[in-house]
Amino acid sequence: MTTEPSFSIPAHPKRRYPYDEGVEYEGGTEFELIPDEERATPELAATVRNLLADGPYRYGDFHDLPMPLWLVRDEETADVFRVAVRDGTVRLHVLPTTEPDGLRRFYDRLRASDADCQWTVERRVDAT
């Protein structure tokens, strides 16, 4: 019997606007989606890029970063979150107004995009 992961969000990050430094987030929740077979970052990034392009997402990527990173909005749930590919995993970063539905739908679409791959979901919470 397989148990579906919970995408409950026990802690949303708080936005801070330090003088002349843009925006920072304190605390929050992150979901790490780990494929059952090791995959290289470019392969995982291509999977995420294709999933986002298929919709119903509006998204933008961040350039000049050492890892693929997108700001994503699910147009059906109106949830906004960040998606990063790092160290062989896909990471979903909760933002202040993110709700579980958008995260769950992203995960379901990721699983459907490659039916041969099984994913483990780990949740990390920083309640500061």
Side-chain angles (χ1 to χ4, degrees):
M1 179 174 142
T2 325
T3 304
E4 287 295 315
S6 168
F7 283 91
S8 65
I9 302 171
H12 281 84
K14 293 181 179 35
R15 282 190 183 112
R16 284 186 347 113
Y17 301 95
Y19 183 74
D20 285 339
E21 294 183 27
V23 64
E24 292 179 353
Y25 294 98
E26 292 180 343
T29 303
E30 173 186 290
F31 294 91
E32 188 172 9
L33 313 179
I34 307 161
D36 63 346
E37 294 179 10
E38 189 172 318
R39 296 193 178 182
T41 295
E43 180 185 353
L44 278 177
T47 299
V48 170
R49 206 174 292 112
N50 292 338
L51 184 133
L52 294 174
D54 286 345
Y57 298 106
R58 186 177 346 158
Y59 63 96
D61 62 348
F62 292 81
H63 298 283
D64 300 324
L65 293 177
M67 66 181 173
L69 179 66
W70 298 268
L71 181 62
V72 175
R73 175 186 164 92
D74 183 318
E75 292 295 344
E76 293 177 358
T77 65
D79 286 312
V80 178
F81 49 95
R82 288 188 318 238
V83 178
V85 176
R86 185 175 188 164
D87 300 329
T89 66
V90 176
R91 299 178 187 193
L92 307 180
H93 299 265
V94 171
L95 295 175
T97 60
T98 305
E99 294 296 329
D101 288 346
L103 302 173
R104 157 71 55 202
R105 290 165 56 88
F106 182 91
Y107 170 74
D108 289 344
R109 290 182 182 116
L110 181 64
R111 285 182 24 200
S113 72
D114 184 355
D116 295 331
C117 183
Q118 299 296 313
W119 296 85
T120 300
V121 178
E122 293 183 4
R123 182 177 70 184
R124 290 187 174 77
V125 179
D126 179 1
T128 57

